[in-house]
Amino acid sequence: MAATEVAQSRRVVTEIPGPKSRAIQERRRSAVAQGVGSVLPVYVERAGGGIVEDVDGNALIDFGSGIAVTNVGNADPRVVERASEQLGRFTHTCFMVNPYEAYVEVCEALNRITPGDHEKRSILLNSGAEAVENAVKIARNATGRQAVVVFDHAYHGRTNLTMALTAKNMPYKQGFGPFAGEIHRMPMAYAYRWPTGPDNCGPEAADMVIDQITKQIGAENVAAVVIEPIQGEGGFIEPAPGFLPAIVDFCRANGIVFVADEVQTGFARTGHMFACEHEGIVPDLIATAKGIAAGLPLAAVTGRAELMDAVHGGGLGGTYGGNPAACAAALASLSAIESDGLVERAREIGELMLGRLRDMAGKYDVIGDVRGRGAMIAVELVKDADRTPDPESLAKVMSFCHSRGLVLLSAGTYGNVIRMLPPLVIGDDLLNEGLDLLEEAFSLL
Ligand code: PLZ
């Protein structure tokens, strides 16, 4: 089936943002809370495949997927049809009041596709933060322990508990405390910035983490280690080789629940269904959201049956968790990922992007590092050989690309990482055109 009716070509017919977008932006100022930002305030009319069309008739190349959500493309007809059919039958009953089959089917699918062939259970929720928060609740309840270990550069959400799990103060935590207790932050195996070099990074970082957990918390007090298998908001940091397996082994040996936050990396994004698979990691609990339902609000925790079922009846839930339309969208989206071969497509996208970006890195000194897997690729911008972060160049590159009709996102603790998360259905022509714009931006610095 055709993915979309939206023409798959870039078209810039006004300034960006155009006059209609600017007028809505003006109204927004007196209607919407200041605290909510927008990376590129062009107001959307429709979107499909790798294109976002705005109210002024501009068609932008989408390198963001609504932050890694529309993996199967925007408004895929199969997703729209299945969710609409569901909406026509009933919109909500609350699974905790009168359940419905689609919720069970999504859980079955998650239990099947997540890493590991052990017996699993799932719970459905509304947002990534809620999924991570529930994973922590389940781990604490099942272990009877309280401490939670997280890492430098981590991002896990904006609720009170997940703010505490998130590393970066501005903008996520500033002025929002007090934060939840019993959260312990550890060094991250960030190869590009590891003091003794990338080759030593994985084992050295793992040793430091294990030593700190043992000396500062006591392994027997730790309920969970929570980590993104590739850090997203932190700047697409792939843990250096050896780091994750060593942490998983330590968790297993000490009865600590290993929680993978695959909210951003999940559902074919990185060239595996889940990023843990790159290193053969089998998490005890896995938190998912974003790509699960192609944009309808849905999230999940999936994990070992004995942990998930340790929680007393009625201990988990929420009014909207596993909304029927979101479940229908998830079932259509998951089947599209499998039938359209999007795991393989993500790998192809990664090869194309990494090839071109490494070539650019040879030409432009501002590119300090090119990294990522599948359709989750980043470049880190630096001022000099000492790797001083260069957020100023990042701002110039972003603004050039935005003005030419490329939706591009940034990330990173130091605000100097350009990240690319195209929908997995984007064509090579649009990918190359987007990368051409990026290259032009580097050449103009
Ligand atoms: N865990 C790994 O990437 C969401 C945040 C955007 P929610 N990332 C995008 C913003 O600035 O709010 C994210 C994530 C990882 C958890 C979350 C939280 O997911 O659905 O935004 O709650």
Side-chain angles (χ1 to χ4, degrees):
M1 183 183 278
T4 172
E5 294 168 20
V6 176
Q8 295 298 294
S9 56
R10 181 174 65 105
R11 188 174 66 242
V12 178
V13 294
T14 68
E15 259 181 272
I16 290 181
K20 289 186 181 159
S21 279
R22 289 203 303 271
I24 303 172
Q25 181 73 359
E26 214 27 62
R27 277 166 48 207
R28 167 185 175 150
R29 267 185 248 290
S30 47
V32 180
Q34 284 287 331
V36 195
S38 293
V39 176
L40 173 51
V42 296
Y43 284 77
V44 179
E45 179 70 23
R46 56 184 195 159
I51 290 287
V52 174
E53 283 185 10
D54 73 10
V55 287
D56 290 289
N58 299 300
L60 290 78
I61 300 176
D62 186 7
F63 271 15
S65 301
I67 324 188
V69 171
T70 53
N71 293 4
V72 299
N74 220 313
D76 178 281
R78 294 160 294 187
V79 173
V80 173
E81 203 175 295
R82 192 146 177 182
S84 308
E85 186 278 331
Q86 172 59 50
L87 283 170
R89 285 192 293 123
F90 62 96
T91 49
H92 173 83
T93 56
C94 186
F95 191 74
M96 300 185 306
V97 178
N98 300 122
Y100 35 88
E101 187 178 3
Y103 187 118
V104 179
E105 267 183 277
V106 172
C107 293
E108 286 169 345
L110 290 169
N111 297 348
R112 173 173 62 82
I113 65 175
T114 48
D117 48 17
H118 50 278
E119 175 111 10
K120 294 176 206 152
R121 304 280 185 269
S122 293
I123 175 177
L124 303 184
L125 306 142
N126 301 291
S127 68
E130 212 189 338
V132 175
E133 182 139 1
N134 274 272
V136 170
K137 282 169 67 174
I138 293 163
R140 282 178 166 161
N141 194 290
T143 58
R145 305 173 179 181
Q146 293 186 355
V148 177
V149 167
V150 290
F151 294 85
D152 287 336
H153 313 290
Y155 183 90
H156 298 292
R158 294 178 184 262
T159 60
N160 187 262
L161 178 64
T162 58
M163 269 193 297
L165 303 176
T166 290
K168 194 173 175 179
N169 179 52
M170 258 324 251
Y172 308 120
K173 302 165 80 163
Q174 176 68 28
F176 296 134
F179 302 110
E182 280 301 329
I183 311 294
H184 303 265
R185 192 166 309 284
M186 301 287 155
M188 177 63 188
Y190 187 173
Y192 180 64
R193 294 193 174 277
W194 195 253
T196 58
D199 295 340
N200 301 321
C201 178
E204 280 183 17
D207 284 352
M208 284 171 73
V209 169
I210 290 166
D211 185 64
Q212 288 187 26
I213 292 178
T214 312
K215 297 290 180 325
Q216 298 177 15
I217 318 169
E220 68 278 16
N221 299 316
V222 179
V225 166
V226 181
I227 192 164
E228 300 151 84
I230 300 174
Q231 290 183 319
E233 305 302 306
F236 288 14
I237 302 165
E238 304 166 63
F243 181 71
L244 280 182
I247 301 296
V248 172
D249 288 349
F250 177 76
C251 287
R252 292 276 136 80
N254 290 281
I256 299 169
V257 178
F258 180 85
V259 180
D261 177 348
E262 291 245 19
V263 167
Q264 191 154 159
T265 49
F267 304 102
R269 172 58 52 192
T270 68
H272 272 293
M273 192 60 94
F274 294 98
C276 280
E277 296 168 49
H278 287 281
E279 294 176 272
I281 302 292
V282 177
D284 299 311
L285 299 179
I286 171 166
T288 55
K290 292 190 186 280
I292 190 174
L296 276 83
L298 190 69
V301 182
T302 300
R304 294 186 186 281
E306 61 274 22
L307 296 173
M308 298 291 295
D309 282 343
V311 178
H312 50 277
L316 303 171
T319 304
Y320 293 123
N323 167 272
C327 285
L331 292 169
S333 167
L334 293 175
S335 102
I337 289 172
E338 291 184 319
S339 64
D340 295 356
L342 294 186
V343 169
E344 293 71 29
R345 179 61 190 150
R347 280 183 208 163
E348 288 171 13
I349 290 173
E351 277 164 33
L352 189 157
M353 296 191 108
L354 285 172
R356 290 217 39 196
L357 292 165
R358 284 185 180 137
D359 177 53
M360 289 181 215
K363 296 192 220 164
Y364 308 105
D365 290 343
V366 72
I367 303 179
D369 195 25
V370 175
R371 57 179 178 252
R373 294 180 194 146
M376 183 170 184
I377 303 292
V379 292
E380 177 159 357
L381 304 188
V382 293
K383 291 188 171 145
D384 48 38
D386 293 336
R387 304 173 185 205
T388 311
D390 192 353
E392 295 82 14
S393 290
L394 176 122
K396 287 184 196 155
V397 169
M398 297 282 290
S399 121
F400 176 85
C401 290
H402 290 166
S403 74
R404 298 301 168 97
L406 175 64
V407 180
L408 198 60
L409 307 177
S410 62
T413 300
Y414 313 107
N416 66 328
V417 176
I418 297 170
R419 57 164 156 173
M420 285 155 266
L421 294 159
L424 307 180
V425 295
I426 195 170
D428 282 357
D429 48 346
L430 287 182
L431 271 181
N432 275 313
E433 197 177 338
L435 291 164
D436 290 343
L437 289 169
L438 191 59
E439 173 142 26
E440 198 180 337
F442 287 132
S443 75
L444 293 171
L445 281 177

